[in-house]
Amino acid sequence: MVSKAIQNVRGFGDVLPAEGPAWQFVEATFRRELERYGYAGIRLPIVEKTELFSRTIGEVTDIVEKEMYTFTDRNGDSLTLRPEGTAGCVRAALQRGLLHNAQPRLWYSGPMFRHERPQKGRYRQFHQVGAEAFGVSGPDIDAELILLSGRILRALGISDLRLELNSLGSSADRGRYRAALIEHFEAHAEALDDDARRRLYSNPLRVLDSKNPAMAPVIAAAPVLSDHLDDESRAHFDSLCRMLDQAGQPYQVNPRLVRGLDYYGGTVFEWISADLGAQGTVLAGGRYDVLVEMIGGRPTPAIGFAAGLERLVSLVEAAGTAPPAPTPHAALVVGDPELQGDTLALAERLRDALPWLHLQMPLGGGSMKSQLRRADRSGAAVALIRGAEEAAADTLTVKYLRDDLDQITVAIGQLPEILSALQTQ
Ligand code: ATP
Ligand code: MG
């Protein structure tokens, strides 16, 4: 046992080999589909200046108020482990000139850090794939991004997901709505929890995002933003809905859907699983037309999403849709310790000749019986046995471990043909 003092930090998990196939399936599916839509990969640092996040996500949000891993480094700078990817992606796109006369589409994948209460589907280190599209203001990019996210989730074989959609309107819309919200919550002050009371004047929209069940009734009775949209916001949203209809993509308009970060405005959406309870949102996104300007750039329309990989992996595991890890085609077993060196060299030649070949060797010696047992446990289809007799005759004995076939002894030169028969299995 690892002594308690050096066990992993709560909420910072290990991904074990048994979970590998589901993780790889999820990551490969995102990558493949994002590339098909023209998104280019970008790799971003996990540490940024604290101010990047406090300025963009908003001072009065869960993330900035209580979830960030912020520390002072040895130079005295305040740094933060990224709690999300959008701010860093926008920082990089602007700082590196990717937004000059261009409409880049970027995607990234990696760990994020939030000091939340660890529970199923909620960790302190978790992983997201994010996609961000810059420079397009119309609802067509909103529709395409939503259809892309739907395609990815379908490809993962997860059912029972619903798409919720809302518009947060323009900042003028939200200004009018704020006033209506404050009025409503003031009239029900006794129903508010401490967070809500504290945020009522600084950030009343955040109150709608509360996860406190006791607040549900007062939130349900609150006025809705859709009643405060101006003509332009309404036309954008209606047009998006029509495009989704035309593409046959079902959705539910949820007038209470808001997002936990301040830079969102206009279209917001979430894909929610019925199977994950309160941690049901697996992919969430929206428009953030003000963000580039907030960090010093020219106004640039933008929209993006982030998907929570732990939640998706658990759904993929439940659905059993990930392809299994590949099993070795063959295990090469050495009958005589004297032959170890040139059998290793033979294995290298086989791997050179057959680039697709998964070939293992139960190294470390041991009797033929114990090596064959390890070969069997590896899942290999055949054991290739090289004993003194085979070595003298330049042959190998092929023992079929999964099929009811007699073992055969073949010349080394015949091996590629014999092994190729296993390639498609
Ligand atoms: P939630 O409402 O569940 O707290 P959020 O609105 O804080 O989510 P976003 O910032 O939109 O989450 O992040 C996008 C996705 O990342 C979420 O929908 C979720 O799937 C995942 N995610 C967010 N926080 C965590 C976490 N602490 N642990 C695991 N996954 C997370
Ligand atoms: Mg959260």
Side-chain angles (χ1 to χ4, degrees):
M1 265 310 266
V2 175
S3 79
K4 194 122 205 221
I6 54 169
Q7 282 179 9
N8 73 301
V9 179
R10 207 161 117 72
F12 290 70
D14 303 306
V15 176
L16 300 182
E19 305 160 89
W23 276 88
Q24 289 199 24
F25 177 53
V26 170
E27 289 169 332
T29 303
F30 269 95
R31 179 186 173 157
R32 184 187 69 234
E33 299 302 333
L34 283 160
E35 287 180 345
R36 287 180 72 198
Y37 282 72
Y39 286 74
I42 184 167
R43 291 172 196 258
L44 302 161
I46 61 168
V47 168
E48 297 275 1
K49 305 258 175 71
T50 301
E51 194 188 337
L52 174 68
F53 301 115
S54 51
R55 224 206 269 185
T56 57
I57 295 171
E59 294 281 358
V60 189
T61 57
D62 277 353
I63 292 179
V64 173
E65 277 186 342
K66 44 191 184 193
E67 295 176 355
M68 293 207 302
Y69 279 92
T70 296
F71 61 98
T72 307
D73 84 348
R74 288 167 197 274
N75 304 329
D77 298 323
S78 179
L79 304 181
T80 294
L81 297 185
R82 63 181 182 194
E84 57 101 35
T86 302
C89 185
V90 173
R91 194 269 310 141
L94 180 61
Q95 186 181 338
R96 308 296 174 189
L98 305 182
L99 302 178
H100 277 318
N101 305 317
Q103 302 179 320
R105 297 174 173 204
L106 303 172
W107 75 275
Y108 51 84
S109 174
M112 307 291 161
F113 305 86
R114 297 184 193 174
H115 194 273
E116 301 203 65
R117 194 168 69 75
Q119 54 196 289
K120 189 166 170 29
R122 199 174 285 289
Y123 311 96
R124 291 180 172 176
Q125 172 173 327
F126 61 99
H127 296 77
Q128 288 185 338
V129 168
E132 320 286 354
F134 298 93
V136 182
S137 58
D140 49 354
I141 189 79
D142 306 21
E144 191 193 61
L145 192 72
I146 289 170
L147 294 170
L148 160 59
S149 62
R151 178 178 300 277
I152 292 167
L153 298 170
R154 272 199 311 283
L156 293 177
I158 303 169
S159 48
D160 254 356
L161 288 178
R162 67 175 187 280
L163 169 63
E164 293 193 355
L165 210 59
N166 193 21
S167 172
L168 299 181
S170 65
S171 61
D173 299 340
R174 286 193 298 285
R176 286 195 299 280
Y177 178 54
R178 260 181 108 241
L181 262 188
I182 291 175
E183 197 177 315
H184 168 77
F185 287 127
E186 273 178 338
H188 298 89
E190 75 295 340
L192 302 182
D193 63 13
D194 288 347
D195 265 349
R197 249 180 240 132
R198 199 162 37 76
R199 290 172 179 177
L200 179 55
Y201 299 99
S202 52
N203 201 345
L205 257 76
R206 275 294 68 75
V207 177
L208 296 178
D209 205 24
S210 166
K211 306 242 167 9
N212 179 356
M215 297 256 306
V218 69
I219 290 172
V224 292
L225 184 48
S226 43
D227 293 338
H228 299 263
L229 294 185
D230 64 18
D231 290 346
E232 198 184 331
S233 301
R234 162 111 348 255
H236 183 108
F237 191 65
D238 288 347
S239 162
L240 166 62
C241 291
R242 265 198 311 280
M243 288 178 194
L244 294 178
D245 291 337
Q246 282 175 310
Q249 172 61 62
Y251 55 86
Q252 296 167 16
V253 175
N254 173 1
R256 301 195 192 276
L257 182 67
V258 291
R259 312 269 314 112
L261 303 89
D262 279 359
Y263 52 65
Y264 284 110
T267 306
V268 289
F269 63 97
E270 288 194 3
W271 285 92
I272 302 166
S273 162
D275 301 329
L276 294 174
Q279 270 63 252
T281 302
V282 294
L283 187 151
R287 232 174 217 290
Y288 52 88
D289 293 342
V290 295
L291 184 47
V292 175
E293 211 179 347
M294 269 176 150
I295 64 172
R298 277 199 294 267
T300 306
I303 182 166
F305 70 64
L309 298 194
E310 281 77 5
R311 295 179 193 182
L312 287 171
V313 164
S314 85
L315 292 173
V316 160
E317 283 182 333
T321 46
T327 49
H329 299 103
L332 182 52
V333 169
V334 192
D336 179 345
E338 293 283 299
L339 297 171
Q340 195 65 273
D342 63 57
T343 309
L344 265 173
L346 169 64
E348 290 304 309
R349 285 198 302 280
L350 287 171
R351 292 183 181 114
D352 286 344
L354 306 172
W356 49 266
L357 179 68
H358 285 231
L359 175 67
Q360 294 191 0
M361 293 183 71
L363 299 176
S367 67
M368 181 68 86
K369 200 167 155 203
S370 108
Q371 289 187 58
L372 281 171
R373 200 166 42 237
R374 281 182 281 156
D376 189 43
R377 248 188 271 135
S378 76
V382 300
L384 306 175
I385 301 167
R386 189 152 185 269
E389 263 174 52
E390 285 91 349
D394 221 9
T395 59
L396 278 179
T397 297
V398 182
K399 181 177 164 64
Y400 289 87
L401 299 173
R402 316 286 148 200
D403 298 308
D404 196 12
L405 294 172
D406 290 338
Q407 70 178 44
I408 48 172
T409 298
V410 300
I412 301 263
Q414 270 178 282
L415 264 184
E417 193 184 325
I418 302 248
L419 291 172
S420 292
L422 304 169
Q423 187 182 2
T424 49
Q425 287 186 2

